Amino acid sequence: MAAKPRLLVTRNFPPNVMARLRRDYAAITNDEDRILEPAEVLALSQDVDAILCAGTEKFSREVIEALPENIRIIATYSVGYDHLDAAAAAEKGITLSNTPDVLTDATADIALLCLLGAARMAHSSAQTLRSGQWSSWAANQFLGVHVTGKRLGILGMGRIGQAVARRAMGFNMQIHYHNRRPVDVPGLEAAIYHKTTDSLLGVCDFLSINCGLSAKTKYLINDENIAKMPDNAVIVNTARGGIIEDAALIRALKSGKIAAAGLDVFENEPHLNPDYLDLDTLFVLPHIGSATVETRDAMGNMCLDNLDAFFADRPLISEIKT
Ligand code: DGY
C-alpha cells in the first residue's frame, strides 16, 4: 500500500473532517487550535507534502518563498484567499485550492441578519432589555430604517452576492449591483447593473459588500466614497474587513451620514476598533458567515476532496488560479 500523503493541518477543524483526514493522511495537527505564527508553520512544514490552513494563517510572499520544496499544495478552509499570495505560490509551483459554493447560503443568511440587525436596532434594543433598562413600550424608541421598497446595492455579484439579492427580493428590496460584468441568471433579471462603483454608491439606501479583498478593493469604503452614498444609508459587510476603512465608517456613523452598519467582518480581527463600541447603530458579529455545522463540514470535505484529487492526479474541484 502506498504511503499516505503527509499533511500539516494548521487549525482544529470539525470532528468529521479531522476523522477523515486522520484516516487518509499522515497528519500533523494543532489540537490546541492555537493560531500558529509563520515561523511555526515553516518549522512544521519541513516534512509534509501539503498544508490545510484557514484564513487565520497568512501566507505572504515571504512565507511562501520560505516554504520548503516538499510543499506541493495548500488547501484553504475558506472561499476567500486574500491571506495567500497566489502569485508567489504559482511562481513556486505550489497548487492552491479553496471552498467556494458550499458556504454561499450560510454567508448570505448572515448578510441578511446584519442588514436587518443594523436597520432595526437589534443590538441596542436587545442590550437595553438584557441590562434591565427597558421600562416600557414607547412609540419613539428603537426606531430603525424601513427595509421594504428600498434600494439595495450589492458590491460583487458572485455566488454570495446573488444569494443576498435573492433573499433581499423576498423583502421587496430593489436590487442594484456593481460587478466586473453584468450577470445573466434566472430570477435576477430585474437587478440593475452599474458599471462603476460611483454609480452604485449613489443609489445605495443599503449597501452589501460581497466582493473579495484585493489591492483594488482595500479601503474602497472610505470617507470619499461614503460621501457619495445617500444620507442615512445602511452598510453591511460580510466579505472582508479592510474593504471598509473602519475609522471612516465610525466617523460616518457618529455624524449620522450612515444610519447604521451591520458587520460580520472588520479590520484587525479579532480586535474590534474600540470606537465602534460607543455606537448603538452598530450590529456586529465575530466572522460567523460560514458558521453552521453543515457548512463547516462541507468546507472541510471540499478541502479534502481537493487534496485527494491532487494526490490522485485528478483535476481539483476548486483550484485557485492567478
Ligand atoms: C471564507 O470562507 O472566506 C470565510 O471568511 C471563512 O468563513
Side-chain angles (χ1 to χ4, degrees):
M1 208 170 83
K4 293 176 181 180
R6 301 160 305 169
L7 179 65
L8 169 62
V9 185
T10 63
R11 298 298 306 271
N12 199 10
F13 296 112
N16 292 333
V17 177
M18 296 306 286
R20 177 174 159 187
L21 70 85
R22 285 197 170 100
R23 184 192 66 198
D24 297 340
Y25 291 84
I28 299 176
T29 58
N30 171 11
D31 300 340
E32 287 171 33
D33 206 23
R34 196 169 51 76
I35 294 182
L36 303 175
E37 294 298 331
E40 294 177 284
V41 172
L42 290 175
L44 292 167
S45 300
Q46 298 307 315
D47 291 315
V48 293
D49 307 298
I51 301 176
L52 169 52
C53 70
T56 42
E57 289 75 57
K58 311 292 171 215
F59 287 84
S60 61
R61 170 168 286 278
E62 204 186 357
V63 174
I64 299 252
E65 284 176 354
L67 282 171
E69 296 302 322
N70 43 283
I71 299 296
R72 297 168 58 204
I73 174 167
I74 303 174
T76 181
Y77 183 90
S78 61
V79 65
Y81 53 88
D82 47 286
H83 57 296
L84 307 175
D85 190 318
E91 282 165 34
K92 210 174 152 108
I94 297 178
T95 300
L96 301 178
S97 73
N98 66 339
T99 62
D101 291 323
V102 290
L103 43 64
T104 297
D105 287 325
T107 308
D109 290 347
I110 290 294
L112 266 291
L113 178 63
C114 287
L115 188 152
L116 293 170
R120 299 304 303 273
M121 307 286 285
H123 165 73
S124 58
S125 58
Q127 182 68 19
T128 305
L129 174 63
R130 281 173 177 268
S131 64
Q133 306 296 305
W134 191 51
S135 49
S136 90
W137 183 93
N140 293 310
Q141 198 181 28
F142 307 134
L143 298 186
V145 180
H146 202 64
V147 166
T148 313
K150 295 283 177 67
R151 297 166 299 181
L152 170 63
I154 298 180
L155 195 55
M157 198 61 148
R159 301 173 185 86
I160 298 174
Q162 292 173 25
V164 170
R166 289 207 170 81
R167 283 159 174 73
M169 284 164 66
F171 288 86
N172 285 333
M173 300 188 86
Q174 301 168 31
I175 308 301
H176 294 249
Y177 69 98
H178 169 68
N179 201 43
R180 257 177 303 214
R181 281 177 288 281
V183 297
D184 180 16
V185 287
L188 297 182
E189 294 84 359
I192 298 165
Y193 177 63
H194 292 254
K195 219 168 166 184
T196 64
T197 43
D198 278 8
S199 160
L200 181 75
L201 292 171
V203 300
C204 284
D205 300 321
F206 287 77
L207 169 67
S208 174
I209 299 173
N210 299 106
C211 55
L213 174 64
S214 65
K216 250 178 136 177
T217 59
K218 171 92 182 162
Y219 283 175
L220 184 64
I221 304 303
N222 53 18
D223 289 311
E224 194 189 333
N225 281 337
I226 289 174
K228 295 171 188 162
M229 297 177 69
D231 291 343
N232 298 314
V234 173
I235 295 181
V236 172
N237 189 4
T238 51
R240 278 291 179 271
I243 299 174
I244 296 179
E245 184 183 357
D246 283 346
L249 178 57
I250 289 164
R251 279 190 287 277
L253 287 165
K254 284 193 172 154
S255 72
K257 164 74 187 171
I258 295 298
L263 307 180
D264 184 44
V265 291
F266 43 87
E267 279 187 80
N268 199 26
E269 288 172 22
H271 307 290
L272 184 69
N273 185 323
D275 292 345
Y276 271 130
L277 297 175
D278 308 329
L279 292 164
D280 280 350
T281 48
L282 177 73
F283 178 83
V284 65
L285 297 170
H287 202 145
I288 60 166
S290 64
T292 68
V293 172
E294 294 87 341
T295 303
R296 292 278 164 93
D297 275 351
M299 290 166 71
N301 282 321
M302 190 173 228
C303 290
L304 293 176
D305 290 346
N306 275 314
L307 289 167
D308 292 354
F310 180 83
F311 287 109
D313 279 330
R314 284 186 274 110
L316 271 58
I317 302 161
S318 53
E319 181 169 349
I320 300 169
K321 307 262 193 202
T322 41

